[in-house]
Amino acid sequence: MHLKRTVTLVMALVMLASLSAGIVPAAKAQEGTTINILMESVSDTEYIQQLIPEFTEQTGIEVNIEVLTYTAIHERLLPQFIADQGAYDVVVVDKQWVGEFVGADWLLPLEDYIAASSFDTSVYIPAMFEMLGTVNGTTYLLPFYNYTMGLVYRTDIFADPDLQAEYEAEFGVPLEVPTTVADYVQVAKFLTRDTDGDGEVDFYGVTQQLARGVGIHAEWANLLFSLGGWYYDEDWNATVNSPEGVEALTAMIDLYENAAPEGATGYNFDEQAEVMRQGNAAMMLTYSWMPAQLDDPDQSQVAGLTALAVAPGGSGAQGGWGWAIPRSAPNPDAAWEFINWVESFDTAKARAILGGAPTRYDVFQDPEVLELYPYYDVIEEMIATAKPVPLFGGAAQMVDILARELSESVAGGKDPQAALDDAASEMNDLVVGDPLIG
């Protein structure tokens, strides 16, 4: 409740500061227009919904936000993109859809709008703008929120003197937050134990998201990147079946079998986080926006007991969504007015204060934001060191292929090398004829 009161107060101060600085409402050139926006059912969408009344008051533009799950968004968008006039004026685009949407020429270039509004795109962290902004020299999106991955860990567990002594006695080194994949596996297995003496493990070194889908791919990608692996070589030959790829998958299976809940093969990110929120795990690889939830005592039993670090090995999975205007948008000018407002400093800051995940430097470094979320410097480092999926039209299919093979290996017992050999074979077919690959 304390955080909610603080957020309300700071929001009011942000709005007051805007008025004091002489920021006047935009001209109501599109007054009376209604725009439709398709968004994912995540926390940042809820924060935008809370801020929409201010946009309508400033511009006279009404906003309808349709909220769908991740997989439903992609299915809904495709027929809208190929229609002469679609239903949506603004869409949010996941990083692995950028190549598909741009390659098919479904998104409106934003250069003219950016120039007319004098919108400064240099405020974005370069890694975010490279992933969710410009493609081959043309700007099709503006970054919305990041979901870059890092390591959340329990500070009380790593500070426990009994565990510290036990670990040092067993391994000859201090118990510390792991900085390599090998240490991550070792520490996770050590912390997994029966804490109440009933003969059953009830505390886990890690909680994982291993349900078949984007989550299991992300779990593996964090380990792959930290081991120095990548999806393709410079000639676009698939390399996921390299020694680094196989080692990453073998480590993920080891963690599942010896340090994670048995039910993790059915977990997506929320079920994974629930294990942490209930106080039953020491670590998890998760998204940058998760710490705000874990520190909320209304949602979490470990509020105040977690911290964030760069993924073990130094390179986590880059993640983010961007704002775009479809070529089929009924009201592109009003759509840009919305994007120009929602990505302004004041609105991005207000969303960050509510718990959102920014992509602008100036919001990350704002004193009021840092007072609420002092770990934002860690997220900046996570974003700077993380790796995205490759930019090409088949990126989403690539993730689906990998998710299937990873799942068959973790849950179905398929040999890791065989699983990644099969994935690599299909990935080589994906790049043939891709318009974004020169």
Side-chain angles (χ1 to χ4, degrees), residues 9-22:
L9 175 61
V10 176
M11 277 189 67
L13 292 173
V14 168
M15 302 308 172
L16 181 60
S18 300
L19 293 173
S20 299

Side-chain angles (χ1 to χ4, degrees), residues 126-143:
M128 279 287 124
F129 196 66
E130 290 167 6
M131 183 174 69
L132 295 163
T134 299
V135 178
N136 293 337
T138 300
T139 302
Y140 292 93
L141 307 97
L142 291 184

Side-chain angles (χ1 to χ4, degrees), residues 268-390:
N268 291 303
F269 69 81
D270 199 44
E271 294 88 354
Q272 175 201 26
E274 186 60 22
V275 178
M276 181 67 81
R277 285 193 289 262
Q278 293 297 319
N280 296 325
M283 300 181 287
M284 68 174 177
L285 290 166
T286 190
Y287 306 106
S288 58
W289 47 263
M290 188 63 76
Q293 293 189 8
L294 293 172
D295 274 341
D296 183 352
D298 291 339
Q299 303 183 51
S300 171
Q301 295 184 26
V302 294
L305 297 177
T306 63
L308 184 64
V310 174
S315 293
Q318 194 78 284
W321 289 73
W323 301 102
I325 302 174
R327 284 194 180 276
S328 61
N331 304 290
D333 292 346
W336 171 254
E337 278 207 43
F338 173 81
I339 293 175
N340 190 35
W341 167 82
V342 80
E343 280 304 314
S344 67
F345 171 78
D346 290 329
T347 308
K349 176 180 174 179
R351 177 169 59 85
I353 287 172
L354 287 169
T359 54
R360 294 178 58 128
Y361 264 128
D362 47 6
V363 175
F364 267 107
Q365 296 170 356
D366 182 85
E368 290 173 306
V369 174
L370 284 171
E371 184 177 354
L372 279 171
Y373 308 111
Y375 52 81
Y376 267 25
D377 60 335
V378 178
I379 297 179
E380 274 198 76
E381 185 180 358
M382 286 163 48
I383 293 173
T385 56
K387 297 182 179 181
V389 294

Side-chain angles (χ1 to χ4, degrees), residues 114-137:
I114 289 171
S117 302
S118 300
F119 189 95
D120 181 9
T121 57
S122 70
V123 297
Y124 291 107
I125 296 176
M128 279 287 124
F129 196 66
E130 290 167 6
M131 183 174 69
L132 295 163
T134 299
V135 178
N136 293 337

